[in-house]
């Protein structure tokens, strides 16, 4: 019995110590470091825009002809605590679903119509939905496909639009693709700064 009490006491000390270190001290340390050195990212990477606060971590549903379009986002707007929030949901379409195939074809035709001066076929990512529901990036080729439409709508040169896209493109070190990715929201915020 004495041995059991002794082992129970040691186990309880180990449990309390583990909870203290990994449940309180470690999270507090990580939070403190992130808040001290990465305050912008720690706060959700929000930017103040003319449309309100916008997180650059989540994809935005731009549809105006003067903006760079990203992946189609699936979700719904909900009112919570007096604020409208966009709740993104992953795409869950079966690839052989007839309704989804018709929807894709319709989106593809609309994008072709809106980008009459674009070279080549419509990049597939522009008429398919984001798997996560929140993709903030598109491929460099999908971004460049839209340059002429954006330039014409805004009355600026294609070189200006292309240089902004170039400035917001970067290689994703997690991806096996050699093509850079372009941050859609950042491009559109820079386009708005030109006005």
């Amino acid at each position: 019995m004495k041995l059991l009490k002794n082992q129970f006491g040691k186990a309880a000390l180990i449990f309390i110590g583990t909870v203290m270190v990994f449940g309180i001290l470690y999270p507090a340390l990580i939070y403190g470091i992130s808040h001290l050195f990465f305050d912008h990212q720690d706060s959700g990477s929000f930017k103040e825009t003319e449309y309100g606060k916008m997180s650059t971590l989540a994809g935005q549903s731009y549809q105006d002809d003067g903006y760079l379009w990203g992946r189609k986002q699936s979700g719904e707007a909900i009112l919570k605590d007096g604020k409208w929030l966009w709740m993104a949901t992953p795409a869950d379409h079966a690839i052989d679903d007839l309704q989804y195939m018709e929807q894709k074809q319709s989106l593809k035709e609309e994008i072709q119509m809106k980008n009459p001066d674009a070279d080549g076929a419509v990049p597939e990512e522009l008429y398919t939905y984001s798997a996560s529901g929140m993709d903030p990036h598109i491929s460099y080729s999908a971004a460049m496909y839209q340059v002429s439409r954006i330039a014409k709508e805004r009355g600026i040169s294609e070189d200006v639009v292309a240089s902004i896209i170039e400035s917001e493109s970067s290689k994703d070190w997690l991806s096996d693709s050699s093509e850079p990715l372009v941050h859609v929201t950042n491009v559109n915020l820079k386009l708005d700064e030109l006005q």
Side-chain angles (χ1 to χ4, degrees):
M1 192 66 157
K2 187 177 180 182
L3 180 63
L4 186 61
K5 281 184 179 179
N6 194 16
Q7 286 180 340
F8 180 78
K10 286 180 181 177
L13 283 173
I14 290 171
F15 174 75
I16 291 168
T18 302
V19 168
M20 289 294 292
V21 171
F22 296 108
I24 298 172
L25 296 175
Y26 178 74
L29 178 68
I30 295 303
Y31 174 77
I33 290 171
S34 65
H35 197 65
L36 187 62
F37 295 106
F38 306 101
D39 187 48
H40 176 65
Q41 294 89 335
D42 174 59
S43 302
S45 299
F46 283 99
K47 284 190 176 179
E48 195 66 52
T49 73
E50 60 184 282
Y51 313 107
K53 275 191 175 179
M54 189 179 287
S55 174
T56 58
L57 299 176
Q60 310 292 332
S61 293
Y62 290 98
Q63 296 174 343
D64 189 284
D65 288 350
Y67 288 104
L68 183 66
W69 298 341
R71 299 292 303 260
K72 292 293 179 191
Q73 312 293 327
S74 179
E76 62 177 336
I78 63 164
L79 184 62
K80 184 175 180 179
D81 299 329
K83 293 182 181 180
W84 283 101
L85 303 173
W86 177 259
M87 301 300 290
T89 55
D92 61 355
H93 310 100
I95 57 171
D96 59 349
D97 177 25
L98 186 60
Q99 185 179 359
Y100 178 56
M101 292 168 75
E102 288 172 356
Q103 189 178 36
K104 274 176 46 177
Q105 185 59 35
S106 174
L107 281 170
K108 184 178 179 181
E109 289 169 4
E110 182 184 342
I111 291 166
Q112 276 179 320
M113 185 186 72
K114 294 273 190 164
N115 295 274
D117 302 323
D119 293 329
V122 178
E124 188 174 6
E125 67 200 272
L126 294 180
Y127 58 88
T128 54
Y129 282 83
S130 160
S132 68
M134 303 190 72
D135 289 344
H137 298 91
I138 57 172
S139 68
Y140 182 78
S141 56
M144 295 306 284
Y145 179 86
Q146 304 176 65
V147 167
S148 59
R149 182 199 76 237
I150 297 167
K152 187 181 289 184
E153 183 66 22
R154 288 182 173 264
I156 57 178
S157 79
E158 290 187 15
D159 289 341
V160 170
V161 177
S163 70
I164 290 174
I165 289 171
E166 195 75 47
S167 73
E168 289 299 331
S169 66
S170 60
K171 178 77 174 80
D172 181 6
W173 58 275
L174 292 173
S175 170
D176 57 357
S177 171
S178 60
E179 187 173 17
L181 295 175
V182 177
H183 196 290
V184 176
T185 302
N186 285 348
V187 167
N188 289 331
L189 291 174
K190 284 189 174 179
L191 286 168
D192 281 343
E193 287 172 7
L194 298 175
Q195 304 303 325

